[in-house]
Amino acid sequence: VRAPDGRTAGYGGLAAAAAAPGLVVLGATPKPASRHSLVGTPTSRVDARAMVTGAQRYTLDLDVPGAKPCVLRRPPSLGGTVRSVANRAAVQAMPGVLHVVTVPTGVAVVAETFGQALDAKAALQVEWGPGPADQLSDEQVRAKLRAATPPPLVPPLLTPYVDAEFDFAFVSHAPMETNSAVADVRDDRAEIWSGLKSPIVARETIAADLGLPLDKVKVHVVQAGGSFGRRLFFDAALEAARVSKACRRPVKLMWTRVDDTRHGRMRPATHHRIRATHLLGEVLSFEHRVAAAETDFRHGLGEIITATAASLPSGIGNATLAQTLFLTTVKSPYHFGLTTQALTEVPTGIPTGSWRSVYSANTRGAEEIMVDELAAATGKDPYRFRRTFLKTDAQRAVLDKAATEGQWGRALPAGCAQGIAFHEEYKSRTACLVEIDTRDPQHVRVTRAVIAVDVGLPVNPRGLEAQMIGGLTDAISTTLRAGLHLDKGLPLEGSYSQFHWARQRDTPQDVRVFVLPATGTEPGGAGELGVPAAVGAIANAWARATGSKPRSFPLDFDVDFTPYPR
């Protein structure tokens, strides 16, 4: 802290005085908007060039003295356990191998190089114990979710209605940087380096696991190469600490890409049942019932108290966090009469985690598909239908902007079509218009996208543009091709060549993002905002181009690869 007269003081030195009960706290008055020099100015990330040139330093780039490469042999099914290692001594004697140790999540090999560690890992002969989801495959998960989905409460009776059911597959977080951590654990202290989103609970959990006082554990938060919710969990840091303790030396732990895809946390699979009744052009009721594989919130709200509460055996704590987030983020923006949305979560034993947009990507995506089908049932244009039923002028403004700039209704060749959708969340709203080309069924492409976004007060329009393009790319991926096939307790996908995330060739060359001028004095959220409307727009465009109703996602979900060995 720098005082006007030049004096300086560290936050730590001021903490005791700041905590004094008798301290008089004066109100702060922000400077007027007329004096803002950065708010509203497009600004690039200071580390953007380093990221795209390879100069950015991530966890495995750190040069921690004495830290040796480490990889784990993981079980053939999720959550499996180690019973025995038949050839531990032989592997220990392989070139460069320093240690072979067992930890709760597998068998760790520490070696002089990552190549030697990977060779030794492949040579291990391990007898595995079962995991909690050994027999689960896609069809069983879908059956469980369908069975858990309550029926609609409103009977259609003599009223016209539209019914639909949707399935969404498990999805990997798939960050460019796989799970990794460096750990140096000694008898009396520990030091950890990792890309973490919950460093406080990570430090508290690792200290308890190692049996060390909290003040003897230091955690360094390193720039992460992607997360999307994945790094709310700190399993790599905990694993590295356990291996370092067992080996009594610093280790540099790397999850392979196959480890990260198969054993990482997934966006839960979901099933959706929606019924809408309508009469004389009015929507009388809109019911949405969601059944989802349980989302794991056992990282709590970032510290040990809520993490412990979320982990109670009864599951009540985790369910409370789930319901709170669902009800906070999933809301209909339309005047659709009696509107209800409800979540039922189903424990599956599959490791899950919050993925970008959490519940709203699938839930609101499915609803936007339903809105198009309601428009068709009532003989209305999808854009005009939305405009009629949206609740506020601010919502209509972004929808109008996307429709106008995207030339809604323009003529396209057969097999090509436009789709449009809307979403509102965290005090922000967006509309997305896309054009799709389905003429080559083996390579369906989104060819054009126009996105309008209103966040109240746009602090950094360039950052907002990046957020919306990122959300569009996520939606293209998970709507068209990217998902995980679960087979006997393990995903079949093991790499980017198998988990079909959008490549450059899959993304539209023509993408325009329109950030609306400030409509308020407070900024809304943007990180979760871009996916749901894009999911709906892409699915709606596909439906209009093909004449088919989209019901299962991703739309192209073939096993077109040979899976890696378990």
Side-chain angles (χ1 to χ4, degrees), residues 198-356:
S198 301
I200 296 172
V201 69
R203 176 174 175 244
E204 292 166 335
T205 304
I206 291 168
D209 193 85
L210 297 176
L212 289 173
L214 187 60
D215 63 356
K216 298 299 182 183
V217 177
K218 181 181 290 187
V219 169
H220 301 272
V221 179
V222 184
Q223 172 75 49
S227 172
F228 322 111
R230 172 66 182 93
R231 298 183 205 278
L232 288 165
F233 289 89
F234 45 88
D235 30 13
L238 181 58
E239 277 182 344
R242 287 169 168 170
V243 174
S244 178
K245 181 180 179 179
C247 298
R248 304 180 68 82
R249 74 183 314 148
V251 299
K252 184 178 286 190
L253 172 73
M254 176 182 71
W255 285 41
T256 66
R257 176 60 61 190
V258 176
D259 289 346
D260 212 61
T261 307
R262 285 183 160 177
H263 292 271
R265 293 186 173 266
M266 311 169 210
R267 183 184 79 176
T270 58
H271 180 74
H272 304 254
R273 184 173 292 152
I274 305 178
R275 171 176 292 169
T277 62
H278 60 93
L279 187 64
L280 302 176
E282 292 294 326
V283 180
L284 305 180
S285 67
F286 192 95
E287 293 184 84
H288 190 171
R289 303 288 176 261
V290 184
E294 182 185 62
T295 302
D296 193 345
F297 293 108
R298 291 174 178 84
H299 48 73
L301 301 179
E303 36 57 57
I304 202 70
I305 296 174
T306 54
T308 302
S311 302
L312 292 175
S314 64
I316 293 174
N318 195 74
T320 299
L321 287 172
Q323 292 293 336
T324 299
L325 188 61
F326 181 85
L327 295 172
T328 299
T329 59
V330 176
K331 291 181 170 65
S332 174
Y334 303 104
H335 283 299
F336 277 169
L338 176 63
T339 300
T340 59
Q341 295 151 314
L343 170 70
T344 302
E345 291 210 307
V346 180
T348 60
I350 305 295
T352 60
S354 300
W355 188 94
R356 191 179 194 178

Side-chain angles (χ1 to χ4, degrees), residues 493-504:
E493 284 76 9
S495 70
Y496 282 133
S497 66
Q498 300 172 348
F499 178 64
H500 295 308
W501 204 255
R503 305 295 205 274
Q504 281 188 319

